[in-house]
């Protein structure tokens, strides 16, 4: 099937499949930093009425990850009639270096903190989900226009990283793109062919002149300040000093270190992390969590998790990094099992996939290609 349009606006969200191809094909990231990412994990709870404080918002940074791993939490007491809903989550930067780190288990461990655990004791977990998010910020925004279309929203990377907010910038980019496309349509001659393309070139300059550009530029050095040898302390020094005084007006822009897939150290250089066992009351295992996502894929659909080379998972990822796939995936999709010849092989439980895109981003060999499933399968989140 071939779909034709005068212009195509890619609004796939973070690390979309078509966006990834367009960025590579048209070299849209030339002269820009690589996009870097975080993995956000989220749960929805119904807590005991006496523990519910409608409107309360809590953000933390750091623990349980170390000072050199980007991580932070959110906890919101929703103000909903006749209910006591609390939404919580934890974000781990995918530029972490220890292959033994599990973002899912870090999230579960966060809930064991003495100031957090009592909120959930006696409550009921209603939903769970996970999704990658852009963390490259201003430095990683690619060229927005390509022949036949443009990038909008999180496909372009318009997330305000310190605020963990991107809905407002995504909406604005969609409005600007629509206005540009409408102007292009009006400029077409009356005798233009039915599929004559329109120019989206003005969208780039319009976005650069918008408040979105100003907002993202002002916080451009927040994430890179964490990437110094000082880690969390470097972030605090910059945010509490220079950014507080200048609000992003400093005459320099720090760059990111590189791609998340290149960040892992060999397993031999790292220490395995001993995570506490889930108690089934406040902390949980991955499979019981995936059950809450209502994810589903047709059993006979073409694979949507594909390997470029079937030998790489064992020959490199397992041998050098002790199989990080089985830890960075928040849905238990990847596991190494014994094969018939007495060796090891990577087993892909694609039915579990909740479409977070982490595997496509973090695989140290860039061997996993996430493609859109046939028939629209995937998670069916409730209240997320």
């Amino acid at each position: 099937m071939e779909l034709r349009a005068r212009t195509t606006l890619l609004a796939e969200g973070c690390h979309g499949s078509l966006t990834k191809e367009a960025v590579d094909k048209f070299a849209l990231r030339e002269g820009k930093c690589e996009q870097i990412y975080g993995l956000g994990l989220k749960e929805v709870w119904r807590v005991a009425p006496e523990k519910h404080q409608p409107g309360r918002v809590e953000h933390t940074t750091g623990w349980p990850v170390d000072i050199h791993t980007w991580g932070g939490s959110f906890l919101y007491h929703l103000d909903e009639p006749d209910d006591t809903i609390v939404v919580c989550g934890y974000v781990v930067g995918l530029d972490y270096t220890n292959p033994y780190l599990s973002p899912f288990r870090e999230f579960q461990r966060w809930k064991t903190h003495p100031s957090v655990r009592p909120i959930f004791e006696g409550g009921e977990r209603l939903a769970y989900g996970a999704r990658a998010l852009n963390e490259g910020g201003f430095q990683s925004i690619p060229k927005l226009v390509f022949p036949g279309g443009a990038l909008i929203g999180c496909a372009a990377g318009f997330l305000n990283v310190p605020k963990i907010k991107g809905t407002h910038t995504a909406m604005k980019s969609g409005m600007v793109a629509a206005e540009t496309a409408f102007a292009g349509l009006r400029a077409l001659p009356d005798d233009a062919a039915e599929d004559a393309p329109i120019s989206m070139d003005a969208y780039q300059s319009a976005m650069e002149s918008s408040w979105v550009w100003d907002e993202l530029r002002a916080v451009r050095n927040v994430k890179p300040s964490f990437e110094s040898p000082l880690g969390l302390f470097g972030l605090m020094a910059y945010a509490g000093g220079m950014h507080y005084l200048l609000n992003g007006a400093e005459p320099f822009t720090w760059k990111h270190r590189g791609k998340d897939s290149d960040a892992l150290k060999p397993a031999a250089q790292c220490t395995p992390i001993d995570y506490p066992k889930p108690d089934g009351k406040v902390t949980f295992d991955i499979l019981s969590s995936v059950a809450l996502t209502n994810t589903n894929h047709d059993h006979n659909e073409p694979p949507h998790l594909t390997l470029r080379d079937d030998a790489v998972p064992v020959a490199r990822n397992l041998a050098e990094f002790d199989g990080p796939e089985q830890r960075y995936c928040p849905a238990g999709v990847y596991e190494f099992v014994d094969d018939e010849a007495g060796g090891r092989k990577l087993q892909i439980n694609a039915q579990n996939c909740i479409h977070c895109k982490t595997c496509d981003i973090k695989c140290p060999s860039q061997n996993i290609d996430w493609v859109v499933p046939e028939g629209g399968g995937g998670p069916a989140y409730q209240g997320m």
Side-chain angles (χ1 to χ4, degrees):
M1 179 184 293
E2 183 177 80
L3 301 177
R4 292 176 175 265
R6 295 189 188 277
T7 192
T8 301
L9 305 180
L10 296 183
E12 301 176 282
C14 173
H15 204 68
S17 299
L18 294 177
T19 302
K20 185 172 67 170
E21 291 188 26
V23 167
D24 290 343
K25 181 174 182 178
F26 299 109
L28 302 183
R29 208 171 289 287
E30 185 175 345
K32 306 288 186 177
C33 288
E34 291 288 345
Q35 184 60 263
I36 58 175
Y37 302 88
L39 175 60
L41 304 108
K42 178 179 176 182
E43 291 179 350
V44 179
W45 283 71
R46 179 176 289 116
V47 300
E50 65 272 15
K51 299 177 180 180
H52 190 236
Q53 303 177 56
R56 182 176 177 86
V57 172
E58 297 181 25
H59 285 161
T60 68
T61 187
W63 193 88
V65 297
D66 61 35
I67 66 167
H68 297 292
T69 302
W70 178 271
S73 73
F74 59 89
L75 195 156
Y76 307 146
H77 293 246
L78 303 189
D79 189 1
E80 296 190 353
D82 304 318
D83 214 339
T84 56
I85 299 298
V86 168
V87 175
C88 66
Y90 196 83
V91 178
V92 177
L94 290 179
D95 54 353
Y96 66 81
T97 59
N98 187 342
Y100 293 108
L101 187 147
S102 164
F104 174 84
R105 292 185 176 182
E106 295 293 348
F107 174 36
Q108 298 303 310
R109 184 161 63 169
W110 167 78
K111 289 186 291 180
T112 67
H113 192 278
S115 69
V116 177
R117 183 182 180 92
I119 298 172
F120 302 112
E121 289 178 332
E124 177 188 7
R125 189 175 64 150
L126 304 177
Y128 162 78
R131 183 69 168 90
L133 58 150
N134 302 299
E135 291 197 335
F138 184 79
Q139 298 90 316
S140 299
I141 298 174
K143 182 181 177 183
L144 301 176
V145 178
F146 55 89
L151 307 178
I152 65 175
C154 284
F158 290 137
L159 181 79
N160 184 321
V161 179
K163 291 184 176 181
I164 330 175
K165 298 290 187 292
T167 304
H168 62 311
T169 53
M171 291 174 65
K172 179 61 176 178
S173 69
M175 294 163 65
V176 173
E179 291 165 356
T180 304
F182 183 67
L185 286 171
R186 294 190 65 181
L188 286 174
D190 293 339
D191 59 350
E194 187 174 327
D195 59 352
I198 60 175
S199 173
M200 290 295 295
D201 290 344
Y203 170 62
Q204 180 82 39
S205 57
M207 284 302 298
E208 292 176 0
S209 301
S210 72
W211 56 260
V212 173
W213 223 252
D214 295 335
E215 178 178 322
L216 298 184
R217 190 180 189 281
V219 297
R220 69 193 182 281
N221 286 327
V222 173
K223 178 64 169 69
S225 71
F226 183 90
E227 297 169 16
S228 74
L230 296 176
L232 179 61
F233 298 117
L235 167 67
M236 294 302 180
Y238 170 78
M242 186 178 298
H243 188 265
Y244 179 78
L245 295 173
L246 299 178
N247 194 32
E250 57 267 20
F252 56 84
T253 298
W254 290 325
K255 296 184 180 299
H256 298 299
R257 289 179 293 199
K259 299 176 66 174
D260 292 337
S261 57
D262 296 332
L264 287 180
K265 295 179 180 178
Q269 299 177 18
C270 300
T271 303
I273 301 174
D274 183 20
Y275 290 106
K277 293 182 178 180
D279 59 20
K281 299 176 181 178
V282 173
T283 60
F284 301 89
D285 60 40
I286 281 186
L287 293 184
S288 65
S289 300
V290 172
L292 294 177
T293 69
N294 300 305
T295 193
N296 185 61
H297 301 83
D298 291 338
H299 71 278
N300 59 348
E301 71 178 23
H304 75 277
L305 299 168
T306 60
L307 301 178
R308 294 185 171 91
D309 186 336
D310 290 345
V312 164
V314 171
R316 182 166 190 259
N317 292 3
L318 183 61
E320 187 173 346
F321 302 103
D322 201 16
E325 300 94 326
Q326 56 196 335
R327 288 178 288 275
Y328 60 58
C329 174
V333 170
Y334 301 96
E335 58 180 326
F336 285 90
V337 298
D338 295 334
D339 64 16
E340 298 78 5
R344 303 284 281 170
K345 68 177 181 178
L346 178 66
Q347 178 172 292
I348 301 178
N349 306 308
Q351 177 71 13
N352 287 8
C353 182
I354 57 175
H355 300 189
C356 71
K357 308 291 184 71
T358 302
C359 57
D360 197 304
I361 296 167
K362 189 60 177 173
C363 175
S365 304
Q366 285 297 275
N367 190 50
I368 300 174
D369 192 23
W370 189 100
V371 297
V372 179
E374 180 183 271
Y381 292 131
Q382 300 293 322
M384 293 290 283

